[in-house]
Amino acid sequence: MIVCHCTQISDHDIRTAIDWMRSADPETIITPGKVYHALGKSADCGGCMPLFLDTMRTSSKLEVPAQLANLRADLIREKNNEGRRQGHRLSEQGSAA
């Protein structure tokens, strides 16, 4: 099935590119831009992007490498006070009276 009519990319091309990238570098994060680049093409109008992404998601080799999977969750937990020090709220500082 043709996914991108502008550049004539099929679902088979996308899956093949993902398989090739994963076997070349098991730790790489695969993006649509990298798939286009691997196929020697570039995005044109972007109308295919929803179908392009859906096709990418069907690949079993798209998964994020295990050591990178929880990096964002750790970052969110570290920034739960938006960089403020502990006890930055008035209600946490106790009464001065």
Side-chain angles (χ1 to χ4, degrees), residues 12-71:
H12 177 74
D13 296 334
I14 293 170
R15 288 189 197 97
T16 301
I18 290 172
D19 291 346
W20 174 78
M21 285 188 281
R22 184 60 69 211
S23 64
D25 183 3
E27 297 181 2
T28 191
I29 295 176
I30 300 171
T31 64
K34 287 183 178 180
V35 173
Y36 272 104
H37 185 72
L39 295 171
K41 303 185 179 196
S42 62
D44 190 14
C45 73
C48 64
M49 204 49 62
L51 183 55
F52 199 98
L53 291 170
D54 286 344
T55 304
M56 286 180 65
R57 287 183 192 113
T58 63
S59 174
S60 62
K61 297 193 177 187
L62 186 64
E63 63 193 28
V64 175
Q67 64 271 27
L68 301 177
N70 293 318
L71 288 179

Side-chain angles (χ1 to χ4, degrees), residues 72-86:
R72 183 144 174 83
D74 293 341
L75 182 64
I76 290 170
R77 268 186 255 125
E78 289 177 9
K79 299 230 179 220
N80 62 355
N81 287 327
E82 299 173 347
R84 299 178 185 143
R85 69 186 193 303
Q86 194 87 13

